[in-house]
Amino acid sequence: MQQNKIDIKALKQNQEFLKNLELLEEEMREQNSIAKGYQVLDAKLLLEADEEEINDLFTFIVNNAFDTLADNLTQHKGFSMTNPEELATARAIYEHGIQRYSENDIKGAKEIFLVLHHTIEDDELKDSMMIHACAVMAGHSFEDFIQNLVDTKGYDELDPTAFFIKSFTQPNDILLTMFKNYVKVGKEALKVLEKS
């Protein structure tokens, strides 16, 4: 099977590509665009940019995502998964939540997954975020969650929401029923967002 191999060395010397990447990064900063931030990040990772540049992009993406989240919460606005910018914002928050979970920050991970459950406008992803939050509350370690609850083969790389874990070893409704006590706790915690 022939793979389309990207010639990294040629890209690093392709002035047009590098100029376009520079313009994209300028647009990203001018527009505070998280979607463009991910495009720049992907290109810089491909070009094996130095760690400082990569960290700077991660910081830009995460900070802007949380600023947008704060605005959305005060305006009672959700994230549409059909809008590339809103999808990228939710993805950045989700990836931060997964990082918190993998670093055993139980409180931080639970709060992020619950807020995503509250703000994502997609029923399957909403349920998935509640399952994430319940797994955290039930004391599943990140490794245990991945090994025992996640269907690691059940994702479609062409799906724009493939960055989110949403395929599990059991159907969502069964997991939500199993976790019903935690779902109740989670919904109780979210009431504060509905009132504010």
Side-chain angles (χ1 to χ4, degrees), residues 56-70:
D56 179 52
L57 282 166
F58 268 122
T59 303
F60 171 87
I61 288 169
V62 170
N63 288 349
N64 277 292
F66 277 94
D67 288 348
T68 303
L69 174 64

Side-chain angles (χ1 to χ4, degrees), residues 74-135:
T74 56
Q75 296 170 29
H76 297 284
K77 183 181 177 301
F79 292 116
S80 164
M81 295 298 97
T82 55
N83 175 314
E85 193 60 41
E86 292 180 25
L87 172 62
T89 305
R91 170 188 168 186
I93 295 162
Y94 175 71
E95 288 176 348
H96 188 71
I98 286 291
Q99 184 186 351
R100 299 265 55 87
Y101 193 7
S102 71
E103 291 170 357
N104 221 13
D105 174 0
I106 300 309
K107 184 179 183 294
K110 177 189 90 171
E111 286 171 358
I112 289 173
F113 297 139
L114 284 175
V115 163
L116 285 170
H117 165 78
H118 178 74
T119 52
I120 285 180
E121 295 171 355
D122 176 294
D123 290 339
E124 184 187 13
L125 278 176
K126 255 185 186 327
D127 286 350
S128 169
M129 292 304 107
M130 184 56 84
I131 291 166
H132 281 63
C134 290

Side-chain angles (χ1 to χ4, degrees), residues 21-86:
L21 184 57
E22 217 174 278
L23 287 172
L24 184 64
E25 190 166 354
E26 279 171 28
E27 281 176 22
M28 166 199 97
R29 293 193 190 280
E30 282 165 13
Q31 299 164 11
N32 280 331
S33 171
I34 296 161
K36 287 181 179 171
Y38 272 116
Q39 291 175 337
V40 173
L41 179 64
D42 289 344
K44 297 261 184 174
L45 287 169
L46 199 63
L47 295 172
E48 298 159 346
D50 67 61
E51 202 176 329
E52 201 174 303
E53 270 186 89
I54 301 297
N55 288 340
D56 179 52
L57 282 166
F58 268 122
T59 303
F60 171 87
I61 288 169
V62 170
N63 288 349
N64 277 292
F66 277 94
D67 288 348
T68 303
L69 174 64
D71 290 345
N72 281 12
L73 287 173
T74 56
Q75 296 170 29
H76 297 284
K77 183 181 177 301
F79 292 116
S80 164
M81 295 298 97
T82 55
N83 175 314
E85 193 60 41
E86 292 180 25

Side-chain angles (χ1 to χ4, degrees), residues 156-173:
D156 170 7
E157 52 191 53
L158 299 176
D159 176 357
T161 62
F163 294 102
F164 298 89
I165 295 171
K166 56 184 184 173
S167 294
F168 299 96
T169 52
Q170 299 280 334
N172 288 1
D173 55 343

